Every structure is written in C-alpha cells, then in structure tokens.
Amino acid sequence: MNTPALSTQIQLVSRPVGWPTESDFRTVSVELPELAPGQLRVQNLFLSVDPYMRGRMNDARSYVAPYQLGETMTGGAIGRVVESAAEGFSVGDVVLHQFGWRDLVQEDASGFRVVPELPGVPLSAYLGVLGMTALTAYVGLLEVAKFREGDTVFVSGAAGAVGTMVGQIARLKGAKRVIGSAGSAEKVALLTEKYGYDAAFNYKDGPVTEQLAAAAPDGIDVYFDNVGGEHLEAAIDAFNDGGRAALCGVISQINDTERAEGPRNLSNIVTRGLTLTGFTVGNYTQHFPAFSGEMGAWLQNGDVVFDETVYEGLDHTLDAFLALMRGANTGKMVVKL
Amino acid sequence: MNTPALSTQIQLVSRPVGWPTESDFRTVSVELPELAPGQLRVQNLFLSVDPYMRGRMNDARSYVAPYQLGETMTGGAIGRVVESAAEGFSVGDVVLHQFGWRDLVQEDASGFRVVPELPGVPLSAYLGVLGMTALTAYVGLLEVAKFREGDTVFVSGAAGAVGTMVGQIARLKGAKRVIGSAGSAEKVALLTEKYGYDAAFNYKDGPVTEQLAAAAPDGIDVYFDNVGGEHLEAAIDAFNDGGRAALCGVISQINDTERAEGPRNLSNIVTRGLTLTGFTVGNYTQHFPAFSGEMGAWLQNGDVVFDETVYEGLDHTLDAFLALMRGANTGKMVVKL
C-alpha cells in the first residue's frame, strides 16, 4: 500500500571546526510522498558511524565528496523493506545501503542490496564483520601491507572495529606475533584475552615507542595504522628492513584544526627500505567476494569473534559518532533504531 | 715486480655531530707490504663522494654498517692496476671497487671488477652515469615509484648526480611532464636547457608547495625525493590519487642533530591512496644488467647527457664531500687523484 510518511533525518548545517558539535547539525522531519515506480521504502534498523565521516564534513578534496550543507547525512545502514514498488524486492527483505542518519528511507531500488538473515548473526554485522569495516581490515593487511606468513604485525586502535579484525586475520594467516595498542586497560585485556593478540599495551601508559619496543623485541614487519601521530613514528622506529605500513586512518588528528606534525624519523624509510601506503576501502571492493568467502567460513567455525558498541535511537547518532572519535567503542560502533 | 709502497689514506677518528669537520678525520701514510698471492695493487684515479657516506659516519643502525673509527674510509672508486698477483688481472686494467679515500689500494682481487675503457667516456663515468648513481635513478623511478608512461614526475635535488638522471630517464620513458627543483638559478637553467625538464624552480625563491603547484597545475603522479623535508610535504600536497614517491635521501636533514619534523599532511596519504617507499640501491642491484643495456644505448645515441663536478687531489676529498652536502655540485661529485 502506497502511503505518505514522515522521515526523521539528520542534516549537516555548518562545517565543524575541530570537534563537531550539536550546532553543526539539525534534525528535520521530511514528508515522503507516495512511492514512485522503482522505489523502495525502508525502515532502518542499524546505522553505521565511521571515522571517515569526519573527513566528509570538511569542504576538502578527498576520496569521497564532502557532505553538502543542508542535506541529509549519509552512511552505511541496514534496514527492512516496508513498501516496494520495485521488482525483486519484497516487504520484509533486509537491505544494505548508504542512506543512513535517518529512520525511514525512500529511494530508487538501485541503491539497495538484499542480504540474507544468518542464524545467530545480528543484522548489524553487515555494518561490521561482514561489511566494509572488516573488508578494510582484510585488504589493508593482505593487499596493502602485503602481509606474509611469519610477519610480526603491529596494529594501532586495535580494539576498534577494524583493529579487532586485523589482529584475528593476521593470526589466522600465520603471523609470528601480533601486537596491539588501545586506550584503556579494559581494551588491552580484551585484545589478548579475546582477539588473539600476543601482546598489547595502553598507549596512555607511556611513550608508544618504548612500549612497542618492549612488546616487539625483534621488531615489526607490518604496521596497520588506524590512528597516525605518535603511533606511526613508533612503528617507523620499530620496523625491520623492508617493513610495510597500511595507513587506514589518522583518528588522532582527525579533528585537529592545524596540520599535525609528521613523524620525525622518516630517514628510516630510506635506510630500512620501508613502504607506507595509504588506502581507502572503496578502491579495493574487487576483493569483496574473496573476503566474504573467507570471513563467512571463519565466522561459522568460530574462528573470528567480534564486539559491537550499540547506541540506541536516531537522536543519539551524533553522540555515537563523537564517542567513536574519542575511542569510547569496543568493536564496531552502531546506532540501533 | 713486487715492491713495498706507501699509501696515503683518510680515516675517520670521531663521529661528527652535525656537519663533519676536519678534526673528525686524519690522514695517514700506510706502508703496503709486498703483494700476497691473489692480491692487486691499484692506483686510484677517481674517488666517489656520496650523501649516504654521512649516514655511515654515525654509529647507528642503517642499511650498511657504520664506518669504524680509526679505520680508512671506503667508497666507490675507479683505478688502474699497477701490480697483480691475481689471475685474470693485468697491469693497466681499469678496475671498479669500493676502496676509496686513499691513493693506493692493495686488497684481494675479489673486491675489484675490470671495466672497459669506452671511447669518449671518461673513466669517472663508472662512478656516475654508468654506475650506482644512475642505477639509483633508474630503479628508483621504474621499480620503486613504478613510473608509468604519461605520469607527471617531480624530482627534488634535480641537478644532482641522481636527479639529472631521473629527469632524463622519465623523459625517455614517456613522462607527460617532468618538474625539478634545485638550489640556484644556474642549476634551474641547466634543468630545462640541458636535462630535459619541462619546468624547474629554485626552492630558495619561495615556498616549495606554492612553486610546485604553479609548475604542476594538474598535480603530480610520481615524486623522486632526494632531499626530504619541505619538498616531501609539498609533493604530498601536489599528489594526484594513487601517487607514488621513491624516497632516496634526506640530504636536507642529514646533518641535523635533532630529529626533523615530518610532513604535516600525512592524512593525504590515506585520502589519496598514496605510497611512499624508501630504498637504497644496494637492494636493487639485480636490475644492473637491464640498466647497463639501456643506459649504454642512450649514452651512445646521445640521448643522455651528464655533468660532473671534479675536485682535484686526495687532500680535497673532505672538501668535496662537504660541498656535496651543501649542494655545490652539478651532476656527480668526484675527486680526481
């Protein structure tokens, strides 16, 4: 039945300077018209909040276009079809899409992909362990950093959605030693007790360079960088010859209003023949089938575990995003509607 | 005839702090005994001075061991056999070797390689355009930075021994545009008039980022870094998506006593999917045959030209090395004995 409806949506109204605040956003109520042919109406169940969104709030050249002022925010989301005027989609279907930061979506069906409901796996997993987040870990480790069996791997932000996956994938692929850093004693404990890390430390306990040297007495071969800053400098100090870094994010500097200083030991890059490669998962989606196959099997076998941090309610989406920026999550941060 | 002889040699006696000075070295006279079986005695004709030597003067982990205090310095050199007690080597042979910073060498023949005397090509070319210097340019551009036809290439320290080769090889391999920076108006003129650069600027004339943006309005795809520092930051600002840097040296910081700050725009590495790879030519010598073939042909066809800056006399070796550090050379810096 084709009915009008109200959609509550969060829009960006000014570009944050430094940390985003409530005043940079507004919540609006949008009346959805009757469905046009080819459209779906979807009730969102879970919204993803991700670090890359901070970059899109700036009006800067980046790998994806900036969010437009006065328009509704977008981002990964999973929902259920409530009305369909498109072939191949039925009411009740679970769909993955990019129309987040709103409760009700109405768009052309081409923007949605039906996904199966897997027994024992929450639908939010499509935003994390079965989605772009874990794909980021997979391609960053295997394709970008060119991980090889026997490598010692260091992961910063290791308790985050990406970091928890990197450690487990490295372990499953035959790492010699996997070391993680995180920002609380609880997270550090999780890394070694739950996520298969051989060693972990709290970067707030002391200089990263010293803690990493203690945790990796034989140096590191691969660094998966989720944070930038002091961690990157420490990794460049710890690298063995031929070391490779996959740079995935600079969350430590993402809200800086001035350009942060870079690592002061770049001469090591030359003398040790290091490679630093930045990447964004959007350029590696061709590996999704391989990833899906391996990750699906690991999940079914219980070889991979995951955490989620869940905020409830669309009106807490910004809170969830800011908490993510502060590192208040363990595993994937999602908003449940 | 087997005779004793005196060899004048330069030794490192203290590790320089910052810029090396005369007092860090001493000149000694060493009496060479009669030749032992398997040895050669070689009169050096040209000595190479190279930026990497500064790193070896420190007692630091690097890709080659530090120079030892109280021992004679080493480095690339070309000389002529004056006595031979080794099969396959005759008096008069021209030999390439690593026993520099001395006038007369006596060592096992395994450390020497006989090279042909080519008509019209000075023997010093084996230290530059036919040697490791030009191989550095060749592998850095083609293997490390993975240059592709149609790329726009930026080279810092472009008037140096390596930089003049990078520009010419990029041009011969089909670069869209080749841009160089150097430290004087004379060098800048040479880059465009002699070395095939499309554009060049004096980095002392203004901020590198601004000058590079003006010279490369469509951005750059490859950066060959001979200097580090401000140039690297400027390149990271100018890179197109997927840009690749080969980091060959950090001469701008090589004598710093404190760790220099790194580039403040590393977030571009993530957002633009950039790759920075450091290298030292010693790990790429497997490409020497391919290099020799191509470079030999280019030289014979007049497709590649080169400059040398020649200091005369073993007692000016340190002067030559310090002048190289200051960028006083155009092309390869050598010492003629």
Side-chain angles (χ1 to χ4, degrees):
Chain A
M1 196 172 71
N2 251 356
T3 51
L6 284 180
S7 168
T8 305
Q9 310 191 343
I10 299 174
Q11 300 185 332
L12 185 69
V13 293
S14 60
R15 302 213 175 272
V17 177
W19 284 79
T21 64
E22 293 275 355
S23 66
D24 295 318
F25 300 86
R26 69 178 172 208
T27 301
V28 299
S29 189
V30 174
E31 189 167 322
L32 304 177
E34 293 190 359
L35 283 191
Q39 283 192 325
L40 299 180
R41 186 176 293 168
V42 171
Q43 180 74 50
N44 276 337
L45 302 172
F46 291 96
L47 310 180
S48 183
V49 290
D50 300 279
Y52 78 84
M53 293 172 168
R54 179 62 189 85
R56 292 192 65 185
M57 293 175 191
N58 297 331
D59 187 18
R61 169 180 162 188
S62 187
Y63 53 98
V64 281
Y67 290 124
Q68 293 304 301
L69 294 182
E71 294 192 357
T72 300
M73 292 280 294
T74 58
I78 192 139
R80 198 178 289 279
V81 176
V82 293
E83 291 188 26
S84 172
E87 265 186 59
F89 292 85
S90 306
V91 171
D93 281 353
V94 175
V95 287
L96 186 61
H97 60 90
Q98 286 294 315
F99 305 107
W101 295 67
R102 72 198 79 181
D103 56 3
L104 206 56
V105 190
Q106 185 165 315
E107 293 286 348
D108 189 83
S110 61
F112 301 86
R113 185 161 60 91
V114 176
V115 294
E117 295 191 67
L118 302 177
V121 180
L123 290 176
S124 53
Y126 283 108
L127 304 179
V129 67
L130 288 173
M132 298 302 265
T133 300
L135 178 65
T136 301
Y138 184 88
V139 300
L141 182 68
L142 303 180
E143 300 297 324
V144 180
K146 298 183 168 48
F147 169 86
R148 296 186 291 249
E149 194 177 332
D151 279 345
T152 292
V153 177
F154 173 50
V155 184
S156 61
V162 173
T164 50
M165 290 300 129
V166 176
Q168 294 181 88
I169 298 169
R171 167 73 36 243
L172 289 162
K173 291 285 188 179
K176 177 181 175 193
R177 186 170 171 81
V178 186
I179 300 145
S181 74
S184 76
E186 294 72 24
K187 290 182 181 179
V188 167
L190 268 181
L191 291 178
T192 52
E193 290 164 12
K194 183 169 183 180
Y195 288 112
Y197 279 81
D198 298 291
F201 60 85
N202 181 345
Y203 67 84
K204 295 171 181 169
D205 283 351
V208 176
T209 297
E210 292 175 19
Q211 296 197 76
L212 178 57
D218 297 328
I220 64 171
D221 305 298
V222 163
Y223 172 48
F224 194 108
D225 185 19
N226 288 305
V227 303
E230 185 190 358
H231 277 85
L232 179 57
E233 183 169 294
I236 293 174
D237 266 342
F239 264 131
N240 296 321
D241 289 355
R244 291 143 277 138
L247 309 189
C248 179
V250 286
I251 204 166
S252 72
Q253 297 160 14
I254 208 165
N255 290 301
D256 289 356
T257 50
E258 301 199 350
R259 288 178 148 198
E261 287 171 17
R264 295 164 299 172
N265 52 357
L266 288 184
S267 61
N268 286 5
I269 296 182
V270 178
T271 56
R272 300 185 194 170
L274 309 180
T275 298
L276 312 186
T277 305
F279 76 106
T280 50
V281 68
N283 291 326
Y284 291 84
T285 50
Q286 70 272 29
H287 299 284
F288 200 89
F291 156 76
S292 292
E294 287 208 269
M295 184 57 77
W298 288 330
L299 273 177
Q300 286 185 301
N301 296 340
D303 292 330
V304 162
V305 295
F306 62 97
D307 275 310
E308 293 180 335
T309 301
V310 182
Y311 275 53
E312 303 232 359
L314 179 66
D315 53 338
H316 289 113
T317 304
L318 181 58
D319 296 338
F321 177 71
L322 293 174
L324 172 75
M325 294 282 104
R326 287 193 308 271
N329 58 304
T330 301
K332 180 78 183 101
M333 177 74 95
V334 296
V335 179
K336 182 177 183 181
L337 301 189
Chain B
M1 200 173 68
N2 251 357
T3 51
L6 285 180
S7 168
T8 306
Q9 310 191 346
I10 299 173
Q11 301 185 331
L12 185 70
V13 292
S14 60
R15 301 212 176 274
V17 178
W19 284 79
T21 63
E22 293 274 356
S23 66
D24 295 319
F25 300 86
R26 69 176 172 210
T27 301
V28 298
S29 190
V30 174
E31 188 170 321
L32 303 177
E34 293 189 1
L35 281 191
Q39 283 191 327
L40 298 182
R41 187 176 293 170
V42 171
Q43 180 74 51
N44 276 335
L45 302 172
F46 291 96
L47 309 179
S48 183
V49 290
D50 300 279
Y52 79 83
M53 293 173 168
R54 179 63 189 86
R56 293 192 66 185
M57 293 176 192
N58 298 331
D59 187 18
R61 170 179 162 188
S62 188
Y63 53 98
V64 280
Y67 290 123
Q68 293 305 300
L69 294 182
E71 295 191 358
T72 300
M73 293 279 294
T74 57
I78 192 141
R80 198 179 291 277
V81 175
V82 291
E83 291 189 26
S84 172
E87 266 185 59
F89 293 85
S90 307
V91 171
D93 280 354
V94 175
V95 288
L96 186 62
H97 60 90
Q98 287 294 315
F99 305 107
W101 295 66
R102 71 198 79 180
D103 55 4
L104 205 56
V105 190
Q106 185 165 315
E107 294 285 347
D108 190 84
S110 62
F112 300 86
R113 185 160 61 88
V114 177
V115 295
E117 295 190 67
L118 302 176
V121 180
L123 289 175
S124 53
Y126 282 108
L127 304 179
V129 67
L130 287 173
M132 299 303 266
T133 301
L135 178 65
T136 301
Y138 184 88
V139 300
L141 181 70
L142 304 179
E143 300 298 323
V144 180
K146 297 181 168 51
F147 169 86
R148 296 185 292 249
E149 194 178 332
D151 279 345
T152 292
V153 177
F154 173 49
V155 184
S156 60
V162 173
T164 50
M165 291 300 129
V166 177
Q168 293 181 88
I169 297 169
R171 165 73 38 242
L172 288 163
K173 292 284 189 180
K176 180 181 172 192
R177 187 170 170 80
V178 186
I179 299 146
S181 74
S184 75
E186 293 71 24
K187 291 181 181 180
V188 166
L190 268 181
L191 290 178
T192 53
E193 289 163 13
K194 182 169 183 180
Y195 288 112
Y197 280 81
D198 298 291
F201 60 84
N202 182 345
Y203 68 84
K204 296 171 180 168
D205 283 351
V208 176
T209 297
E210 292 175 18
Q211 295 198 78
L212 178 56
D218 296 329
I220 64 171
D221 304 298
V222 162
Y223 172 48
F224 194 108
D225 185 18
N226 288 305
V227 301
E230 186 190 359
H231 278 85
L232 179 57
E233 183 169 296
I236 293 174
D237 267 341
F239 264 131
N240 296 320
D241 288 356
R244 290 143 278 137
L247 277 50
C248 180
V250 286
I251 204 166
S252 73
Q253 297 158 16
I254 209 165
N255 290 302
D256 289 356
T257 51
E258 302 200 348
R259 289 179 148 198
E261 288 171 16
R264 295 164 298 172
N265 51 358
L266 288 183
S267 62
N268 285 5
I269 296 181
V270 178
T271 57
R272 300 185 193 170
L274 309 181
T275 298
L276 312 187
T277 304
F279 76 107
T280 50
V281 68
N283 290 325
Y284 291 84
T285 50
Q286 70 272 28
H287 298 284
F288 199 87
F291 156 75
S292 291
E294 287 208 90
M295 183 58 76
W298 288 330
L299 273 177
Q300 286 186 299
N301 296 340
D303 291 332
V304 162
V305 294
F306 63 97
D307 275 311
E308 293 180 335
T309 301
V310 182
Y311 275 52
E312 303 233 0
L314 179 66
D315 53 337
H316 288 114
T317 304
L318 182 59
D319 296 338
F321 177 70
L322 293 173
L324 172 75
M325 294 282 103
R326 287 193 308 271
N329 58 305
T330 301
K332 181 75 183 102
M333 178 74 95
V334 296
V335 179
K336 183 177 182 180
L337 301 190

